[in-house]
Amino acid sequence: MDEIARPLPASRATQRILRDYRPRPGVPDELLDAEGRMRPVWTDFLDHLAEQTPEAMRERFNRGDLYLRDAGVYFRRYSADATGERDWPLSHIPVILHADEWEEISEGLIQRAELLESVVADLYGAQSLIADGHLPPEIIADNPEWLRPMVGVRPASGHFLHFLAFEIGRSPDGSWFVLGDRTQAPSGAGFALENRMATSRVFPEAFATARVSRLAGFFRAFREGLDELRDEAAADGRIPGNSRPAILTPGPSNDTYFEHTYIARYLGLMLLEGEDLVVVKGQVMVRTVSGLKPVSVLWRRLDASYADPLELQESSRIGTPGLVSALREGSVSMVNALGAGVLETRALLAFLPRIAPALTGEPLKLPNIATWWCGQAKERAHVVANAERMMIGQALSTAMPFSVEAEMALGGRFADAADDRDIAAWIEAKGAGLVGQEAVTLSTTPVWQDDGLVPRPMTVRVFAARTPQGWQIMPGGYARIGRKGDATALAMQQGGSVADVWIAHDEPVPQDTLMKQRGASLREAPSVLPSRAADNLFWLGRYVERCESTIRLLRAWHLRLEETGGRAAPQISGLAAHLKFLGIDPARRVPAALFDQISAAETCAGKVRDRFSVDAWWALRDLATTAQSLDGKTVQGDDSARAMGLLLRRITGFAGLVHENMYRFAGWRFLSLGRALERADNLAHLLAAFTDETAPDGSWDLLVELGDSVMTHRRRYRIDTTRDTVVDLMALDANNPRSVLFQVAAMRDHAERLPNARVSGKMEPLGRDLLRIETDLTVGDPEEWTAERFWELRGDLSTVAGHLAAKYLG
């Protein structure tokens, strides 16, 4: 490319950048056209880029990365060692396309969406494409993505497809083509939003002046489409009353779970797992703390075969038994229909160019990658003869384009270098099980590396949504960027990165938002709380309080060890016995039991991230990170006491964020119930252990310290601690937020406000037991509350937890 003369840009700094930018000869590029000239759409951005020093660029990139970390954006990368959350791999330089070019792409993709709808409707309906010879029966009948139980099932909405993604690339002649269709449960739309947010922070000036299409209108139109499906179901009487559309997720272990939670928050949808749902008399219902509630629209984000263990994959533990029967009844609309994943089959690309004229009356406006199915003699011979110019892989694969598979050939060689079989013999033997695809050269796009721009291979993922006005294409998307020049490493699982896609206009664009015009009130009906979410919030409260109690115990241990110079003392022995009873070894600075408690809290929080603030999530993660940084030493005394103080500040910071910022809906009440129950139980346990006649000297002072009530005791009683003052303050004082009575009163108030707390005006067992406990504590005197009564109180609190679980969390 450097042999081609380039016109000098207006900016000398831009000229210097372009001089060092060297795409491979013959490879299409997004920044430079075939003659080596900078595409006009890049001019303003590149001039802005050229004004930045390397130090300023690094600072800008750090700003974008910091935003992504603060927002909690991650993906889950699978490996042989472990699965874990990884930082979102943003490539900070956007891909910039002109609006006129995007309009042509959009027209081709809308046509393709309509074609795919017609194909899938035929495959699960009349099957005329097979009968008329347009499709060989083998690639459907033998296809694991073609679900026989769904044959003849017409979707309640009348459409099989509502949300699609297309992987597209630029060909050497500058035109665009489709590399693959994603119809199963397309991912990435939420990540496209976060890419946009981060990139606009990296280049705020350039973005503000670039006249880039906004993304919010696309999501608003899609949400209106989901609402329309819901309203149609209600109007037809298929569901009783109103309901809220929901996202059906496989759960936190999925690699794109962050996106599920993000989209649920962004669009105001319920986020449900398979266990949240139950099918009753053909109607899909969600288990909530208010009882069973109907669900009319499910945006499916799990693979179809796992959706129903009764009729599909029987080993599935993430599906809902009876979901297929509900679809037959037409009581629920599915986005996309079960079985739509068959359209992702690689072999289908060989036939769509011929099917298009038969179904739509016109050829494909946007061609797909040239594909030959090896189940036909002529095509098989062509693949054998041209194997060196092809990528040959499994015919029924639905893997991403350029994904490396167990048995595939690239350029006349097996991807596995150790495989020395004859390619031609392999093709002849496998036949219908293989396809050959043109070994296309992906276009490149600028990536910032070593303080300059370098070209890297890329594809663009584009999203299409069915709206009340028809198919709408997201004005942008996200680009997959390969490592170095390796086109097989585009996916993040193989180390690829992603970039924002800007669609730039010549004229200013409207500042679109997610909001639509509404009536006088903007408030939605109160959201329902699934029982699973309530259970996780409840146990999150319990585990967080359990962590705090453990930290306070450990700090007290180390402080007393420091005070005594490590000598044995009665109060240390008593505290050691209590810690041993709880399974906590204080010899290690951060005991394993505390790590287990923090991990359990993180697990519960991770399952309700759509209902949890990002700040609160990071406060919890900071606690875990700090604990890890303090681990690894066996240190006793003042140093470890200070370490526990640091952890205590971290966990109280989390509690403060939740208390101050969490909306007072039912979820907050279950979180608060869990925390209050755990604190009351812990206090009762401490009072039973350290107010007993056999408790060592110093136990009363220890109790007040563990209850964070030292100053309160001094102001309240003006005398040294006695058993009665400690019991009065820590158990019976309604004004002390650290007392048992205060916690029980708070629990009773929360329980009274939960759904169906009273039946026919009569208090339920949960409320009755809490009222009885509160009364006993209110009228009791300190001397009446013996160690035995505190042990009985723990049993009563356990009964309360059982009532709560039976009524709301089951």
Side-chain angles (χ1 to χ4, degrees), residues 401-519:
F402 301 100
S403 297
V404 177
E405 298 176 329
E407 191 177 30
M408 69 180 300
L410 297 168
R413 298 175 179 273
F414 282 103
D416 181 0
D419 194 337
D420 58 358
R421 287 178 295 166
D422 180 68
I423 295 287
W426 171 61
I427 295 172
E428 291 293 341
K430 289 285 186 178
L434 298 175
V435 293
Q437 292 186 301
E438 180 184 3
V440 297
T441 300
L442 291 179
S443 66
T444 54
T445 193
V447 171
W448 191 265
Q449 180 178 304
D450 299 329
D451 296 333
L453 293 179
V454 295
R456 290 289 178 262
M458 70 106 196
T459 63
V460 176
R461 173 163 288 201
V462 189
F463 302 92
R466 189 183 293 279
T467 75
Q469 293 74 42
W471 285 105
Q472 184 167 325
I473 303 298
M474 179 190 288
Y478 74 83
R480 294 177 180 271
I481 311 294
R483 297 176 303 176
K484 298 183 179 179
D486 187 1
T488 63
L490 290 169
M492 289 180 292
Q493 296 291 344
Q494 277 80 48
S497 58
V498 295
D500 191 14
V501 178
W502 291 6
I503 308 303
H505 296 252
D506 296 328
E507 302 296 332
V509 296
Q511 300 297 306
D512 215 346
T513 70
L514 191 64
M515 296 296 294
K516 63 180 180 180
Q517 295 297 320
R518 299 174 183 263

Side-chain angles (χ1 to χ4, degrees), residues 691-734:
T691 61
D692 187 83
E693 295 177 354
T694 61
D697 291 342
S699 294
W700 303 331
D701 289 328
L702 174 64
L703 269 172
V704 177
E705 178 186 328
L706 292 173
D708 199 20
S709 300
V710 174
M711 296 302 297
T712 304
H713 187 278
R714 290 174 184 170
R715 289 195 304 269
R716 188 90 165 81
Y717 300 100
R718 298 181 181 275
I719 59 173
D720 291 338
T721 55
T722 68
R723 182 190 184 280
D724 286 352
T725 61
V726 171
V727 171
D728 184 55
L729 180 64
M730 302 307 301
L732 310 179
D733 192 332

